[in-house]
């Protein structure tokens, strides 16, 4: 979707959410009064998602130039680096259907910045019992004492939904992202909270220092013979 880059407001003609309640648009990019080349060696300014899309495509191309990424890993990078927008914490109270998962931040998406302790990712797979893959994969995250924010984004490539246009839930494969604190307790508010979107993004402000565990677990897999690929992105930002 597109927004006015000077006023930072989402344009009225940009669509919001789907009939079954999923977060759409995924990401916002400038799309108002964008100057570009036109035929006959000239320039002109236009509005619309057609002008916002090249911004996102260019950042995706930069990512693919630097990393060997799957499509869902590219999406994890893009949505992890956004400004503002939705987060899964306390779902659905922090879902923003106007901004999706946030406004594109090209520099933060492509590069590890000086205010980041950690900027890493993994692409892996998960499975139901009997599939040969673990049904719960966890990652240790070492959060320093001076950390300002912990951001963890999970994306997976779900199968196409129901094309009939009804309003029923159309998520085929449901996996979950939840967290265990350094003291060993589980953040129960993060378990099985979002059963609609194939993106989960958590932002923890002033996270307690120590070793956190980010768990990717199976809720229900019924579209790919009990297995699912995913990509997970981690960022730890330091205090300014």
């Amino acid at each position: 979707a597109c927004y006015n880059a000077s006023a930072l407001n989402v344009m009225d003609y940009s669509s919001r959410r789907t009939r079954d309640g999923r977060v759409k648009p995924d990401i916002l990019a400038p799309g108002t009064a964008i100057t570009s080349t036109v035929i006959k060696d000239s320039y002109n300014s236009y509005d619309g998602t057609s002008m916002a899309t090249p911004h996102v495509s260019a950042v995706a191309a930069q990512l693919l130039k630097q990393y060997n990424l799957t499509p869902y890993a590219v999406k994890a990078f893009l949505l992890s680096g956004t400004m503002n927008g939705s987060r899964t914490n306390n779902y659905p109270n922090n879902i923003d259907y106007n901004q999706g998962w946030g406004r594109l931040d090209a520099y933060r998406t492509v590069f590890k910045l000086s205010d980041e302790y950690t900027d890493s990712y993994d692409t892996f797979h998960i499975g139901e019992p009997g599939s040969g893959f673990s049904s719960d994969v966890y990652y240790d995250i070492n959060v320093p004492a001076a950390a300002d924010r912990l951001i963890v984004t999970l994306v997976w490539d779900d199968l196409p939904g129901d094309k009939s246009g009804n309003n029923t839930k159309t998520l085929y494969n449901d996996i979950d992202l939840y967290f265990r604190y350094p003291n060993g307790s589980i953040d129960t508010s993060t378990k099985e909270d979002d059963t609609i979107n194939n993106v989960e993004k958590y932002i923890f402000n002033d996270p307690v220092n120590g070793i956190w565990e980010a768990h990717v677990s199976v809720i229900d897999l019924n579209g790919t013979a009990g297995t699912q690929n995913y990509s997970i992105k981690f960022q730890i930002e330091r205090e300014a």
Side-chain angles (χ1 to χ4, degrees):
C2 63
Y3 69 91
N4 185 317
S6 58
L8 296 181
N9 60 299
V10 185
M11 305 311 297
D12 292 337
Y13 51 74
S14 283
S15 300
R16 276 83 159 167
R17 69 189 300 170
T18 63
R19 291 181 178 179
D20 63 358
R22 283 171 292 145
V23 176
K24 295 294 174 184
D26 282 313
I27 194 168
L28 296 182
T32 301
I34 303 300
T35 300
S36 182
T37 55
V38 295
I39 59 174
K40 296 184 179 179
D41 299 323
S42 186
Y43 297 89
N44 211 336
S45 296
Y46 296 98
D47 301 340
T49 52
S50 295
M51 305 309 292
T53 299
H55 289 81
V56 182
S57 300
V59 176
Q62 287 293 321
L63 289 171
L64 291 172
K65 182 179 179 181
Q66 295 196 49
Y67 308 99
N68 182 21
L69 300 177
T70 63
Y72 45 93
V74 171
K75 187 173 180 178
F77 268 74
L78 289 168
L79 302 188
S80 179
T82 55
M83 297 178 286
N84 303 324
S86 298
R87 52 182 175 153
T88 312
N89 309 62
N90 196 23
Y91 182 86
N93 295 327
N94 289 309
I95 295 299
D96 185 344
Y97 289 106
N98 283 317
Q99 297 193 74
W101 299 102
R103 290 186 284 122
L104 177 70
D105 185 332
Y107 200 76
R108 183 172 294 278
T109 298
V110 176
F111 300 105
K112 179 180 179 180
L113 303 187
S114 59
D115 66 353
E116 291 179 316
Y117 287 109
T118 298
D119 191 326
S120 61
Y121 77 100
D122 187 41
T123 296
F124 204 54
H125 38 257
I126 198 169
E128 292 179 329
S131 67
F133 298 123
S134 175
S135 60
D136 189 296
V137 178
Y138 75 90
Y139 299 85
D140 287 335
I141 310 172
N142 188 4
V143 177
D148 186 50
R149 292 203 308 170
L150 167 63
I151 305 171
V152 184
T153 307
L154 175 70
V155 177
W156 65 98
D157 57 340
D158 197 37
L159 294 178
D162 186 355
K163 296 181 181 179
S164 66
N166 64 38
N167 296 336
T168 60
K169 185 182 73 171
T170 54
L171 186 64
Y172 274 85
N173 289 340
D174 188 9
I175 63 178
D176 189 43
L177 176 61
Y178 71 93
F179 297 86
R180 188 184 295 273
Y181 294 120
N183 65 7
S185 64
I186 293 176
D187 183 348
T188 56
S189 70
T190 64
K191 291 204 70 173
E192 303 182 28
D193 47 357
D194 183 355
T195 59
I196 295 178
N197 296 286
N198 65 329
V199 174
E200 294 196 11
K201 179 178 181 179
Y202 287 91
I203 300 176
F204 298 95
N205 294 314
D206 300 316
V208 60
N209 68 294
I211 305 297
W212 289 56
E213 290 181 5
H215 287 252
V216 181
S217 66
V218 168
I219 303 301
D220 183 29
L221 302 182
N222 52 47
T224 55
T227 64
Q228 177 63 56
N229 296 319
Y230 67 84
S231 187
I232 188 168
K233 183 77 162 51
F234 307 96
Q235 290 167 266
I236 301 176
E237 298 175 355
R238 70 180 77 233
E239 294 178 353

PDB file of all heavy atoms in Angstrom, residues 3-11 32 103:
ATOM      1  N   TYR A   3       1.583   5.534   0.952  1.00  0.00           N
ATOM      2  CA  TYR A   3       1.276   6.643   1.838  1.00  0.00           C
ATOM      3  C   TYR A   3       1.906   7.899   1.281  1.00  0.00           C
ATOM      4  O   TYR A   3       2.773   7.860   0.407  1.00  0.00           O
ATOM      5  CB  TYR A   3       1.760   6.365   3.261  1.00  0.00           C
ATOM      6  CG  TYR A   3       3.262   6.351   3.447  1.00  0.00           C
ATOM      7  CD1 TYR A   3       3.958   7.502   3.778  1.00  0.00           C
ATOM      8  CD2 TYR A   3       3.983   5.169   3.301  1.00  0.00           C
ATOM      9  CE1 TYR A   3       5.328   7.490   3.961  1.00  0.00           C
ATOM     10  CE2 TYR A   3       5.362   5.152   3.480  1.00  0.00           C
ATOM     11  CZ  TYR A   3       6.020   6.302   3.813  1.00  0.00           C
ATOM     12  OH  TYR A   3       7.377   6.290   3.989  1.00  0.00           O
ATOM     13  N   ASN A   4       1.436   9.044   1.797  1.00  0.00           N
ATOM     14  CA  ASN A   4       1.991  10.334   1.438  1.00  0.00           C
ATOM     15  C   ASN A   4       3.267  10.541   2.239  1.00  0.00           C
ATOM     16  O   ASN A   4       3.233  10.636   3.468  1.00  0.00           O
ATOM     17  CB  ASN A   4       0.961  11.442   1.758  1.00  0.00           C
ATOM     18  CG  ASN A   4       1.424  12.806   1.311  1.00  0.00           C
ATOM     19  OD1 ASN A   4       2.568  13.176   1.488  1.00  0.00           O
ATOM     20  ND2 ASN A   4       0.503  13.552   0.710  1.00  0.00           N
ATOM     21  N   ALA A   5       4.409  10.593   1.560  1.00  0.00           N
ATOM     22  CA  ALA A   5       5.701  10.615   2.247  1.00  0.00           C
ATOM     23  C   ALA A   5       5.917  11.893   3.039  1.00  0.00           C
ATOM     24  O   ALA A   5       6.679  11.900   4.012  1.00  0.00           O
ATOM     25  CB  ALA A   5       6.827  10.431   1.237  1.00  0.00           C
ATOM     26  N   SER A   6       5.258  12.979   2.652  1.00  0.00           N
ATOM     27  CA  SER A   6       5.445  14.230   3.389  1.00  0.00           C
ATOM     28  C   SER A   6       4.519  14.313   4.591  1.00  0.00           C
ATOM     29  O   SER A   6       4.915  14.752   5.675  1.00  0.00           O
ATOM     30  CB  SER A   6       5.209  15.432   2.463  1.00  0.00           C
ATOM     31  OG  SER A   6       3.908  15.386   1.909  1.00  0.00           O
ATOM     32  N   ALA A   7       3.277  13.872   4.432  1.00  0.00           N
ATOM     33  CA  ALA A   7       2.319  13.932   5.535  1.00  0.00           C
ATOM     34  C   ALA A   7       2.292  12.659   6.366  1.00  0.00           C
ATOM     35  O   ALA A   7       1.725  12.634   7.456  1.00  0.00           O
ATOM     36  CB  ALA A   7       0.916  14.199   4.979  1.00  0.00           C
ATOM     37  N   LEU A   8       2.898  11.567   5.861  1.00  0.00           N
ATOM     38  CA  LEU A   8       2.960  10.273   6.537  1.00  0.00           C
ATOM     39  C   LEU A   8       1.572   9.723   6.855  1.00  0.00           C
ATOM     40  O   LEU A   8       1.357   9.112   7.897  1.00  0.00           O
ATOM     41  CB  LEU A   8       3.792  10.371   7.820  1.00  0.00           C
ATOM     42  CG  LEU A   8       5.268  10.716   7.632  1.00  0.00           C
ATOM     43  CD1 LEU A   8       5.981  10.757   8.967  1.00  0.00           C
ATOM     44  CD2 LEU A   8       5.951   9.728   6.702  1.00  0.00           C
ATOM     45  N   ASN A   9       0.606   9.952   5.955  1.00  0.00           N
ATOM     46  CA  ASN A   9      -0.715   9.371   6.133  1.00  0.00           C
ATOM     47  C   ASN A   9      -1.009   8.404   4.998  1.00  0.00           C
ATOM     48  O   ASN A   9      -0.598   8.610   3.863  1.00  0.00           O
ATOM     49  CB  ASN A   9      -1.789  10.465   6.191  1.00  0.00           C
ATOM     50  CG  ASN A   9      -1.843  11.311   4.932  1.00  0.00           C
ATOM     51  OD1 ASN A   9      -0.866  11.976   4.584  1.00  0.00           O
ATOM     52  ND2 ASN A   9      -2.969  11.287   4.247  1.00  0.00           N
ATOM     53  N   VAL A  10      -1.711   7.333   5.318  1.00  0.00           N
ATOM     54  CA  VAL A  10      -2.050   6.321   4.327  1.00  0.00           C
ATOM     55  C   VAL A  10      -3.141   6.864   3.410  1.00  0.00           C
ATOM     56  O   VAL A  10      -4.104   7.487   3.863  1.00  0.00           O
ATOM     57  CB  VAL A  10      -2.541   5.028   5.015  1.00  0.00           C
ATOM     58  CG1 VAL A  10      -2.780   3.939   3.993  1.00  0.00           C
ATOM     59  CG2 VAL A  10      -1.538   4.569   6.053  1.00  0.00           C
ATOM     60  N   MET A  11      -2.993   6.615   2.136  1.00  0.00           N
ATOM     61  CA  MET A  11      -3.946   7.146   1.172  1.00  0.00           C
ATOM     62  C   MET A  11      -5.274   6.392   1.267  1.00  0.00           C
ATOM     63  O   MET A  11      -5.316   5.193   1.523  1.00  0.00           O
ATOM     64  CB  MET A  11      -3.375   7.042  -0.244  1.00  0.00           C
ATOM     65  CG  MET A  11      -2.020   7.711  -0.403  1.00  0.00           C
ATOM     66  SD  MET A  11      -1.961   9.413   0.277  1.00  0.00           S
ATOM     67  CE  MET A  11      -3.160  10.240  -0.772  1.00  0.00           C
ATOM     68  N   THR A  32       2.862   8.798  -3.289  1.00  0.00           N
ATOM     69  CA  THR A  32       2.181  10.041  -3.664  1.00  0.00           C
ATOM     70  C   THR A  32       3.188  11.024  -4.246  1.00  0.00           C
ATOM     71  O   THR A  32       4.235  11.273  -3.650  1.00  0.00           O
ATOM     72  CB  THR A  32       1.492  10.668  -2.443  1.00  0.00           C
ATOM     73  OG1 THR A  32       0.557   9.743  -1.904  1.00  0.00           O
ATOM     74  CG2 THR A  32       0.752  11.941  -2.837  1.00  0.00           C
ATOM     75  N   ARG A 103       5.901   0.941   7.963  1.00  0.00           N
ATOM     76  CA  ARG A 103       6.436   1.686   6.830  1.00  0.00           C
ATOM     77  C   ARG A 103       7.842   1.194   6.495  1.00  0.00           C
ATOM     78  O   ARG A 103       8.675   0.978   7.368  1.00  0.00           O
ATOM     79  CB  ARG A 103       6.471   3.182   7.138  1.00  0.00           C
ATOM     80  CG  ARG A 103       5.102   3.818   7.211  1.00  0.00           C
ATOM     81  CD  ARG A 103       5.193   5.319   7.376  1.00  0.00           C
ATOM     82  NE  ARG A 103       5.559   5.690   8.734  1.00  0.00           N
ATOM     83  CZ  ARG A 103       6.622   6.402   9.054  1.00  0.00           C
ATOM     84  NH1 ARG A 103       7.473   6.799   8.127  1.00  0.00           N
ATOM     85  NH2 ARG A 103       6.865   6.718  10.315  1.00  0.00           N
TER      86      ARG A 103
END
